[in-house]
Amino acid sequence: MSALEIGIWSFPVLMGLIFLRVPIGLSMFLVGLGGLVMVTGDTVVAFGRLKNETYSTFSSYSLSIIPMFFLMGQFATLGGMSTALFKAAEGFIGHRKGGVAMAAIGACAGFGAICGSSLATAATMGRVALPELKNYGYASGFSTATLAAGGTLGILIPPSVVLVIYAILTEQNIAKLFLAAFIPGLLAAIGYIIAISVYVRLFPESAGTREPIPWRERFSLLFAVWPVLMVFGLVVGGIYAGWFTPTEGAAVGALGTGLIALANGGLTRRTLTDSFMITARSTAMIFFIVLGAGFYNGFLALTQVPQELANFVVAQGLSPWMVLALILVFYLLLGCLMDSLSMILLTIPIFYPVISSMDFGLVSLPAMQADAAMEVLRAGVPEGMGAEMLASIKDAIATGAELTRDQMKELGIRVTQGIANRLETEYVAIWFGILTLIVVEVGLITPPVGMNLFVINAMDPKSRMVDTYKAVMFFVGSDLIRVIILVLFPVITLLPLMLLY
């Protein structure tokens, strides 16, 4: 059996182990280790990789951002930030039809900006908002579906643990990925609020009402949110101002939320120890999955499966958009059976080479040259440039033609096809990463195995899972519409990058 055939057969073996409920990290580790032994014919390479991969994974500077985000989320909960966010949002819109549910979505979005984990956001906001929703007469299934969907904002609105993993796998800039996720994250929150509005109009009995509160009390509740704004502004602003790296920013955020929790009385010796233990367990779980994925992906690289798959797809003559659509549909189906991190680690090393080998036309060389030329001309015609040369440059810009080497030399710019290709590759990687994150996020609330659904339903044993399934499909529909919009209009995702970089 050839190395390629061994690599292909590894997929059904891996899926079989997963369906037998072997942990995903252990499954990938065993298949990768066994595959290396089969391909090389001995254990030298496999055990040599065991030593190197383990050290490189657990000593990775980039991965150290993950425990910092988890710790920041723990301290934020102890500091009462989740409660403050929900109370502030509830004070402003809670009296509207479906307003308490909308407030829960807004609070999830705010908490996601200082957490980075979907399950943590869902669990934290569930403890805060679920009692309020029940008190005001919201249907159990609608309440649990709302909080499960709101929890997904934890991995979409930066910072995001899954985006960090994606950045490491594809060797992309973490800060740029965080920036690209902002607008899709806001669209997600707005889409969920619209879904709630539609649901309560179709099923009026599913949402109760509450009395509005005085404006003075509303503003006092809003003032209580300042710690969240301060931490978010410090972390995100500091990263883009160049004060510190994303990893350092996460550490600063953890310190800031820790000090706030200490000042609010939520951080004691016992809660500090509990926070460290929860962070350690969550980090260990993710690191082991990353280790298993590293072994499996190293084995796949040796068998040339990703490269051969990319070559096969290109040879079929399918349009890039068709390939992208098929991959996204695959993610939606896989999300019904697997958690988000496992999907990312298992599939990105296979799908990313396919996507990166295709031209989506996100970058136009003439447009780049025109932008650079116009920037020069706005400052004044370069000294020594003749009228004929100036006219030819303006004509090229007007007609969308590429500038010649002589024209670029006269302008003092250098925008070549190689530069355009590198920018196209980066834009495609970031755009695909955000799309992947969204469809993975949909998997967290898609029946039958939406992990957020089980987390929230466990907090309300009286709620029937079938009722949650029915209500959550409105949020899934909102997500699917958002995916279609972001696929059709990549500029929505890439606009912040274009403006700041």
Side-chain angles (χ1 to χ4, degrees), residues 280-419:
R281 284 196 293 267
S282 301
T283 303
M285 176 191 69
I286 289 179
F287 273 36
F288 186 74
I289 294 174
V290 172
L291 175 65
F295 262 91
Y296 185 63
N297 296 334
F299 155 67
L300 287 182
L302 187 63
T303 62
Q304 297 289 303
V305 168
Q307 295 85 343
E308 290 297 328
L309 178 61
N311 294 335
F312 173 78
V313 172
V314 172
Q316 301 310 302
L318 297 175
S319 73
W321 302 96
M322 178 62 72
V323 174
L324 176 64
L326 292 174
I327 289 175
L328 295 180
V329 170
F330 176 81
Y331 273 124
L332 289 172
L333 297 176
L334 191 62
C336 299
L337 306 170
M338 192 178 293
D339 67 276
S340 56
L341 183 61
S342 301
M343 280 193 286
I344 291 289
L345 288 167
L346 179 62
T347 60
I348 288 299
I350 299 170
F351 289 155
Y352 179 68
V354 175
I355 291 295
S356 61
S357 66
M358 297 188 165
D359 181 15
F360 288 89
L362 301 185
V363 176
S364 167
L365 177 59
M368 288 180 61
Q369 292 175 336
D371 289 341
M374 291 303 297
E375 186 174 349
V376 171
L377 294 177
R378 275 193 292 267
V381 179
E383 185 178 351
M385 179 181 290
E388 185 177 345
M389 175 61 73
L390 178 61
S392 68
I393 291 173
K394 290 183 176 179
D395 182 63
I397 293 174
T399 59
E402 290 185 20
L403 297 179
T404 65
R405 185 176 299 178
D406 290 338
Q407 288 171 332
M408 286 193 289
K409 185 176 180 181
E410 289 285 336
L411 289 165
I413 62 174
R414 184 175 181 273
V415 183
T416 63
Q417 187 63 55
I419 295 174

Side-chain angles (χ1 to χ4, degrees), residues 176 179-180 183 361-364 367-368 371 375 423-424 426-428 430-431 489-501:
K176 290 184 178 181
L179 187 62
I183 295 179
L362 301 185
V363 176
S364 167
M368 288 180 61
D371 289 341
E375 186 174 349
L423 190 60
E424 166 85 10
E426 181 184 46
Y427 279 179
V428 167
I430 291 174
W431 175 55
F489 304 102
V491 68
I492 296 175
T493 301
L494 302 174
L495 183 61
L497 298 178
M498 296 174 178
L499 295 176
L500 293 183
Y501 289 94

Side-chain angles (χ1 to χ4, degrees), residues 85-95 99-100 103 132 136 210 213:
L85 283 165
F86 177 68
K87 289 296 183 183
E90 186 184 26
F92 276 88
I93 62 175
H95 60 281
V100 180
E132 288 286 293
Y136 289 109
R210 54 158 290 175
I213 63 175

Side-chain angles (χ1 to χ4, degrees), residues 452-473:
N452 279 16
L453 301 178
F454 289 101
V455 169
I456 298 298
N457 259 72
M459 298 181 180
D460 186 12
K462 294 182 180 179
S463 176
R464 297 192 309 161
M465 184 62 79
V466 66
D467 294 332
T468 304
Y469 284 167
K470 291 177 181 178
V472 84
M473 295 313 296

